[in-house]
Amino acid sequence: MCREVDLHQAVLAKNDATAATLRAELAARGTTVVNLLSSPGSGKTALLEAELLLARDRGVPVAALTADLATENDAMRLARSGVPVKQVLTDGLCHLEAGMLSRHIDGWLPDATRLLFVENVGNLVCPASYDLGESLRVVLASVTEGEDKPLKYPTAFGLAQLVVITKTDIAEAVEFDEAAFRAHVEQVNPGVEVLLTSARGGTGIGALLDRAVATADGGVTHAPVMARQEHIHRHEHGTHSHTAGSGALAQSGS
């Protein structure tokens, strides 16, 4: 058991080092990465498509990389926006890693890209443990998923710098309790902003883009308590944390 834990820590340590290098390299060329995490069926692709269209209309140089276990359906949808889009097939792997992202953007990502949106594999467990070199980590949940989602996936929601509620146009029909959801988010990640969106109805479209642009411009992002605690733990004890992305997140707003 100890050897398995040590191996896991080594894998995450290597990923964190790669992520830090990638973050620095992209920052040097003026590119900011936005990592989007959610369960399957949250409406992540629909919202991202709307945001990419708006970015194009506003003249913001953006690109999108979307990851799935199989099919290129999401990439084909996002390509309708007219911005550079690339599909990554993970062949069964339930998450992206920093090295994978680095390899896939090498030689593909346009030099002038200001924002790179990464649509992670639909999963709130594995992706939460891997820093991709992002400067903004966003977790999305639809109104159909239940108000207790943040409590069931505390690492994913606890490390988020922004939380987005999707499909709000059907919130009343599914009896979504927004106050309860917000309370649960606050419980695992005090102070994080929660946005309301509906790709179909148009509610909140542009808010995600605005937050991403503000991050690219050097604005202060939310620093999750969980990330700060893990940051302190690593420095005090010299050990690697199981909480991925904490190095980048702990620096935000400090």
Side-chain angles (χ1 to χ4, degrees), residues 18 53-54 117 172 188 242:
T18 302
L53 281 166
L54 186 59
F117 287 93
E172 184 175 353
V188 300
H242 282 271

Side-chain angles (χ1 to χ4, degrees), residues 56-137:
R56 187 197 65 185
D57 292 344
R58 290 183 180 179
V60 180
V62 299
L65 183 146
T66 182
D68 275 308
L69 277 67
T71 83
E72 297 188 0
N73 294 347
D74 288 350
M76 289 188 289
R77 288 182 59 186
L78 295 178
R80 297 184 302 198
S81 66
V83 308
V85 173
K86 186 171 187 178
Q87 179 78 55
V88 174
L89 298 180
T90 64
D91 294 324
L93 192 64
C94 63
H95 60 274
L96 281 175
E97 297 178 6
M100 296 168 62
L101 180 61
S102 181
R103 289 193 299 273
H104 281 284
I105 65 177
D106 185 31
W108 165 74
L109 188 67
D111 291 336
T113 304
R114 188 177 186 194
L115 297 173
L116 172 61
F117 287 93
V118 177
E119 183 180 15
N120 219 314
V121 179
N123 183 339
L124 284 176
V125 181
C126 303
S129 295
Y130 288 85
D131 182 359
L132 298 183
E134 71 265 23
S135 296
L136 182 63
R137 178 175 289 205

Side-chain angles (χ1 to χ4, degrees), residues 161 219-223 228 248-254:
Q161 292 166 294
V220 176
T221 56
H222 173 67
R228 294 200 298 268
L249 298 178
Q251 296 170 10
S252 301
S254 60

Side-chain angles (χ1 to χ4, degrees), residues 114-201:
R114 188 177 186 194
L115 297 173
L116 172 61
F117 287 93
V118 177
E119 183 180 15
N120 219 314
V121 179
N123 183 339
L124 284 176
V125 181
C126 303
S129 295
Y130 288 85
D131 182 359
L132 298 183
E134 71 265 23
S135 296
L136 182 63
R137 178 175 289 205
V138 183
V139 175
L140 303 90
S142 74
V143 298
T144 61
E145 296 179 62
E147 296 80 6
D148 60 349
K149 203 77 170 185
L151 302 182
K152 289 183 175 180
Y153 301 93
T155 300
F157 282 89
L159 284 174
Q161 292 166 294
L162 181 67
V163 174
V164 177
I165 302 174
T166 62
K167 304 184 182 182
T168 58
D169 54 300
I170 59 172
E172 184 175 353
V174 299
E175 300 181 345
F176 176 68
D177 189 337
E178 181 186 334
F181 182 90
R182 287 180 177 273
H184 293 154
V185 170
E186 184 69 16
Q187 186 174 332
V188 300
N189 193 347
V192 69
E193 182 181 12
V194 179
L195 297 177
L196 298 175
T197 67
S198 168
R200 175 178 294 180

